[in-house]
Amino acid sequence: MRDLVTGMRYLGKGQRWVARHGRWWGFGLIPALIALVLYAGVLTALAIWSGDIAAWATPFADDWGSPWQGLLRGVFVALLFAGGLMLSVLTFTAVTLLIGDPFYESLSEKVEESEGLCPPGTDRPLWQEIWIALRDSVHVLLRAAGFGILLFLLGFVPFIGQTVIPAIGFCVSGFFLAVELTSVAMQRRDIPVRERLRMMRGRKGLAVGFGTPLVLLFLIPFIAVVLMPGAVAGATLLVRDLVADEEEPPAADPAGAPYGQPAPQAGFGPAPGHLPPHSGRAPRQSPPAPHPQPGPGSSAGRPPTGW
């Protein structure tokens, strides 16, 4: 729960950052607007042809009577369009990041500079950066598609498929959306995609808390365009703290020992101030050591020379 709230806070921090830097907010709108036009056309075509797709996918129901045929194909159309919307949310971010790679790279660098330190980057040519971003996005989307197919099939389970499964689907979409949005700052640090997924899986609550509200908001027309620059800014702030947590060494006290462990003591026996409790009896006194007797030729008892 704590990570969920922290993820939401990073989303709010990113939106506040672009609100204070209006020029960068407008700069980040350009690739999102281009992607919005493309996706509006695709979703419109899906809505028009979804009935024909449902009939093609369920030929076994051609001879079914009313209302079962209409009910089955109506559920299929609803799930198909819902799946298309979720897939569009995931791929919208990936496509927008690909279209606007130079835009969002500059925006992310500006966010890091405003926080006091920006990693130098990898100095790769632009075409290579775009190719790596495309390859990594395909890797992430294939994983997301696997979960999407499973959730789509579970959607036909009565009651659970219409209540629990959609909620799980939003959380899964939010996780992968967070992975996509953090790719700009992660790629600057030359962190490979498998390592990014490992880091985000280690903080699932953080990723879900950041990405799931965006998934829900991106379902509202035009909101994705407005929020995209702030989402990139918030993801950059999230990566800064996530990487710092991964690299932070164990704390140590001034004596050089990690906190929670006693500092090494010189010599033998317990440290001063930490003597073991006695049993209530008087401590045993050791007999005094015998005084050594001077032997022949020894200098004991003579005055020191040089007086």
Side-chain angles (χ1 to χ4, degrees):
M1 182 60 69
R2 180 179 177 183
D3 273 352
L4 284 171
V5 176
T6 303
M8 294 178 189
R9 286 177 180 169
Y10 278 117
L11 180 59
K13 287 180 181 180
Q15 300 302 327
R16 287 195 297 271
W17 191 93
V18 295
R20 294 194 304 267
H21 303 79
R23 184 172 68 89
W24 286 99
W25 176 74
F27 187 70
L29 288 179
I30 298 173
L33 285 170
I34 297 172
L36 178 66
V37 173
L38 295 175
Y39 276 86
V42 172
L43 288 175
T44 300
L46 179 62
I48 293 173
W49 297 101
S50 59
D52 294 332
I53 295 173
W56 170 82
T58 58
F60 54 87
D62 289 342
D63 298 330
W64 289 14
S66 179
W68 304 114
Q69 183 191 82
L71 182 62
L72 174 67
R73 290 180 174 173
V75 170
F76 187 94
V77 168
L79 291 173
L80 179 65
F81 196 75
L85 281 175
M86 287 193 176
L87 187 60
S88 68
V89 169
L90 291 173
T91 56
F92 177 86
T93 302
V95 171
T96 304
L97 291 175
L98 285 174
I99 294 173
D101 185 79
F103 296 84
Y104 293 128
E105 179 65 30
S106 300
L107 172 61
S108 180
E109 285 182 2
K110 189 65 177 179
V111 172
E112 301 226 45
E113 289 173 0
S114 70
E115 294 296 310
L117 178 65
C118 180
T122 57
D123 293 330
R124 296 190 187 99
L126 178 60
W127 69 267
Q128 191 173 3
E129 292 284 348
I130 294 176
W131 166 249
I132 292 174
L134 176 61
R135 182 192 63 193
D136 294 348
S137 294
V138 170
H139 181 89
V140 173
L141 289 175
L142 286 176
R143 288 175 175 261
F147 282 97
I149 293 172
L150 177 61
L151 293 171
F152 178 80
L153 295 176
L154 291 174
F156 289 97
V157 179
F159 182 72
I160 295 177
Q162 293 77 47
T163 54
V164 178
I165 298 303
I168 295 175
F170 281 121
C171 292
V172 171
S173 299
F175 174 85
F176 286 108
L177 180 60
V179 173
E180 283 289 345
L181 287 168
T182 54
S183 64
V184 177
M186 292 280 197
Q187 189 172 329
R188 185 183 307 112
R189 291 164 171 81
D190 206 20
I191 300 175
V193 63
R194 295 182 185 276
E195 179 65 13
R196 298 175 205 167
L197 286 166
R198 184 199 65 78
M199 293 170 66
M200 299 300 278
R201 281 196 302 267
R203 302 287 299 277
K204 290 187 184 72
L206 187 67
V208 171
F210 181 83
T212 303
L214 280 173
V215 171
L216 297 173
L217 289 170
F218 280 10
L219 296 176
I220 304 173
F222 305 108
I223 291 295
V225 176
V226 176
L227 297 182
M228 191 65 184
V232 174
T236 302
L237 296 172
L238 186 151
V239 168
R240 286 176 63 87
D241 288 351
L242 184 63
V243 172
D245 290 343
E246 289 273 331
E247 296 177 349
E248 184 177 357
D253 63 12
Y259 285 119
Q261 298 182 13
Q265 301 291 334
F268 301 94
H274 294 81
L275 296 175
H278 58 78
S279 60
R281 296 178 297 179
R284 295 178 58 185
Q285 299 293 334
S286 301
H291 186 72
Q293 299 295 326
S298 69
S299 60
R302 301 179 186 174
T305 59
W307 281 16

